Amino acid sequence: MTADPAPAAISGSRADLRLLFSIRAGRMFAYGLVAVILVLYLAGLGFSATRIGILITLTYLGDAAISLWLTTRADRWGRRQTLNVGLVLMIAGGAAFAASGDYWILAVAATIGVISPSGNEVGPFIAVEQACLAQIVADRERTRVFAWYHVAGFTAGALGAGISGCGAGWLQRHGWTEVASYRALCVLYAACGAALLALVARLDPSVEAPRATGAPVPFGWMGLREAKSVVARLSLLFSADSFAGGFIVQSFVAYWFYRKFSVPVATLGAIFIGTNLLSGLSALLAAPLAKRIGLVSTMVWTHLPSNLLLMVVPLMPTFAGAVAVFLLRNAISQMDVPTRLSYVNAVVPAAERSAANGVTSTARQCGIMLAPMAVGPLLAHFERASCIFWISGGIKIAYDLCLWLMFSSVKPPEEG
């Protein structure tokens, strides 16, 4: 398998593909910077576990509302313009977290800014970028390109997580307080957003949605017409999976390892370098596997064992054992991601891709934003904290089984 994300079979611009990959990588690097230290930073400011949970919930709530509003209009307003708006919000959120320790200011910044507590995608970006990619690649190459797109993000996220943990540790060893070191990373986060604006400006107009000819077509529900039913069902399932994932976002897992095994922040950074790299590399296996057994089968039958491993993590008696199982879990946990992205873009009409991506992405954000409200009390009484792994794994297994029952017979064009 070649590492070139733009093979000859791809019909779109290689330059635009490289730019889209670079924008994704830069954004995920920034998310990785903040995710490892976010809960530690908020705890260092003196906030209770319950207030931290509320603030993180507000982060997801604001992201979901803004993303839905932007992505369901992106094809009419302009995809590049939508990306720029998201980046401005990202810069504003990072700057506010760097400049203030006031809870209510941070609550507002978390609601209207773009901050990722999980290290995963938030904001309108991925929905718009997926529509761009699906438009300029052939059906037979879509899953492979999405897999490399995913790898680019996870690799950059791993680098960001590593720099976050090691950088904060280095600053603290050289006289910085914990809070000051975390604020420096928030400044770097905002700077990354500013740099990405320059990359978006270089995208060619060809990435914009094709303009309809003839009479204007009614906007439809959330920008959807033919795809309403399939998107509604997928959104329900994806929100359940994302709710389960909200129990084990990177910030919460880092805090669990920190409290359970008393490991330093630099070690946490190293752990999440490994998990992000393994998660990203596991996506590379998704494309060839999907060609053999299909997109839905790949999504389900790789996700199930990863969720069983997740439930084993807190049962391990040693730090090394817990980390080993967690790394093994991440080695297969993300094979469903490029296949899921490819599947959504395959089973909806081309003219509704941005809206479909936006609605399903927002459903995932709505699911994950509810979880911190439940996690906060569990972390406040740490003897219950291991439940986050069991709750997450159990819900995710139910999601896998429901996905198989509802969509195993709905085939994308390349499997028809």
Side-chain angles (χ1 to χ4, degrees), residues 14 23 50 66 78 198 208 219 227 234 239 260 310 330 337-338 416:
R14 290 176 180 266
I23 293 165
T50 300
I66 292 170
E208 301 290 357
F219 180 52
L234 285 170
S239 65
K260 178 75 172 180
L310 177 66
N330 279 272
V337 175

Side-chain angles (χ1 to χ4, degrees), residues 28 31-32 35-36 60 116-121 153-154 157 249-251 276:
M28 292 300 291
Y31 290 165
V36 171
Y60 287 122
S116 176
S118 65
N120 295 325
E121 281 284 5
F154 260 86
V249 297
Q250 196 161 288
S251 294
N276 279 283

Side-chain angles (χ1 to χ4, degrees), residues 35-51:
V36 171
I37 56 90
L38 182 59
V39 172
L40 297 175
Y41 175 41
L42 296 174
L45 291 173
F47 303 146
S48 67
T50 300
R51 296 189 91 188

Side-chain angles (χ1 to χ4, degrees), residues 242-250 252-253 367-368 370-375 378-379 385 387-393 395:
S242 189
F243 173 74
F247 282 79
I248 53 162
V249 297
Q250 196 161 288
F252 290 147
V253 174
I368 201 170
L370 298 175
M373 297 292 290
V375 175
L378 294 175
L379 295 183
C387 292
I388 64 175
F389 296 92
W390 299 323
I391 294 171
S392 178
I395 296 174

